[in-house]
Amino acid sequence: MATTVEIPLEGGTADGETVVVELDSNGRPPLTHHHLGPEGLAAAEIYELESDHGDHPWVYAWRGPAV
C-alpha cells in the first residue's frame, strides 16, 4: 500500500493544483490541507477532504481563508 497519495485541490487560488500527502495507518489522508499563499501563513487557505469524487478517490475542496 502507498504511504503517500496525490490529491487535487478544487476552488480557491490553488484550484487545479495537487498536493502529495502521507496516509495514516488506516490508509486515509489528513482531513484538511492548509495551502500556503505567497505571504506564507498570512495568506493560507483551508481545503477540506471530500471522498468519492469522480476520477479521484479524494479531493481537497476549498473552504476559505485560514485567517
Side-chain angles (χ1 to χ4, degrees):
M1 181 161 94
T3 57
T4 62
V5 65
E6 188 173 2
I7 300 178
L9 302 174
E10 288 187 348
T13 59
D15 186 46
E17 294 181 27
T18 61
V19 293
V20 176
V21 297
E22 290 187 28
L23 301 176
D24 67 14
S25 60
N26 294 312
R28 300 233 349 129
L31 295 176
T32 60
H33 169 72
H34 289 69
H35 189 76
L36 300 180
E39 300 162 9
L41 287 174
E45 296 184 323
I46 298 175
Y47 288 79
E48 188 174 79
L49 186 68
E50 292 184 355
S51 62
D52 193 26
H53 213 285
D55 295 337
H56 304 281
W58 298 294
V59 297
Y60 281 118
W62 184 74
R63 293 298 183 242
V67 290

